[in-house]
Amino acid sequence: MRSITKIELQYAHRFYKFQGEAQYLHGHTGILTIEVEDTVDPGVNMVFPCNEIQKVAWDVLKNFDHALILREDDPLLPAILAVYEKQGIRNGAPSNKMKGEAFKTELATAYPECRLVVTKETMTVEGMIKIVYELLKDKLNIAKLTFTSGVNAATQEYKPAGTVDRCPLCGVALVNGVCPKCGYKKH
């Protein structure tokens, strides 16, 4: 069975070297749907609490919210960084409260201090799914990801890794036999 949750992301990007309207910097509201698969835990009668899926995912994905997403070879990138430097916000500002942990994968690098994600490929809905899966595959038993942005949508199914030991009291994945949420210890 699957537990399904949605996360909304506001971001700006452009399709560098694209010969259409998307070559211009523009913004979107994107909706990421995450489907996590496992057995139904008899203690809490669910696969995985959706609010916990959101917490796990949001720790990483908040880097994409209210962020600028540019390809690494986009000539706007150095110009944006120069403007941020001139404004004194390149290394963060007191108002920047949405920072996630910085990350670097084969597909993307997050610079949370300046609300910037730099990607290897153009950030399409398909590209976002690839990036999200890479970031969350070891944290959640993902069965399917769907990302919609404007009139664009993409989806990808995955073979879930298998059953995850979860707390019978709150459904959260156990870490070394202990629930990080309520402290339950597996005997």
Side-chain angles (χ1 to χ4, degrees):
M1 192 172 287
R2 294 181 182 179
S3 288
I4 303 169
T5 193
K6 293 183 179 192
I7 295 176
E8 187 174 289
L9 301 167
Q10 309 286 327
Y11 64 95
H13 73 149
R14 77 178 192 137
F15 291 2
Y16 175 54
K17 294 188 177 178
F18 184 75
Q19 298 303 310
E21 289 299 313
Q23 69 182 309
Y24 299 102
L25 193 58
H26 60 282
H28 287 282
T29 296
I31 307 229
L32 176 69
T33 304
I34 302 171
E35 298 185 28
V36 175
E37 187 171 291
D38 209 330
T39 57
V40 174
D41 188 308
V44 292
N45 198 31
M46 65 180 74
V47 171
F48 204 96
C50 289
N51 64 334
E52 292 299 324
I53 296 170
Q54 286 181 330
K55 285 178 191 174
V56 169
W58 188 248
D59 280 346
V60 174
L61 299 178
K62 65 181 157 188
N63 283 309
F64 293 90
D65 193 45
H66 289 85
L68 176 58
I69 304 170
L70 292 175
R71 215 168 73 183
E72 65 186 7
D73 62 341
D74 192 319
L76 273 182
L77 184 56
I80 294 285
L81 292 173
V83 169
Y84 285 178
E85 189 72 43
K86 188 175 180 180
Q87 286 185 295
I89 62 171
R90 168 69 172 86
N91 295 316
S95 60
N96 186 1
K97 307 259 189 235
M98 293 278 293
K99 293 189 294 188
E101 290 293 319
F103 66 77
K104 183 175 179 64
T105 69
E106 187 177 313
L107 298 174
T109 303
Y111 299 94
E113 67 282 354
C114 59
R115 313 290 312 142
L116 177 67
V117 177
V118 178
T119 60
K120 190 87 163 163
E121 304 171 338
T122 299
M123 217 304 280
T124 59
V125 289
E126 294 85 357
M128 184 63 154
I129 287 173
K130 290 193 263 184
I131 292 167
V132 168
Y133 183 72
E134 187 64 31
L135 291 168
L136 296 177
K137 68 181 180 184
D138 296 329
K139 300 176 189 296
L140 296 168
N141 207 19
I142 297 172
K144 184 177 180 181
L145 292 173
T146 302
F147 189 64
T148 59
S149 183
V151 297
N152 302 304
T155 191
Q156 177 69 50
E157 296 206 30
Y158 301 92
K159 184 175 190 234
T163 300
V164 175
D165 268 344
R166 293 182 316 276
C167 175
L169 305 176
C170 59
V172 175
L174 299 178
V175 178
N176 299 321
V178 178
C179 177
K181 184 175 183 181
C182 73
Y184 166 86
K185 292 181 183 162
K186 185 177 178 179
H187 301 313

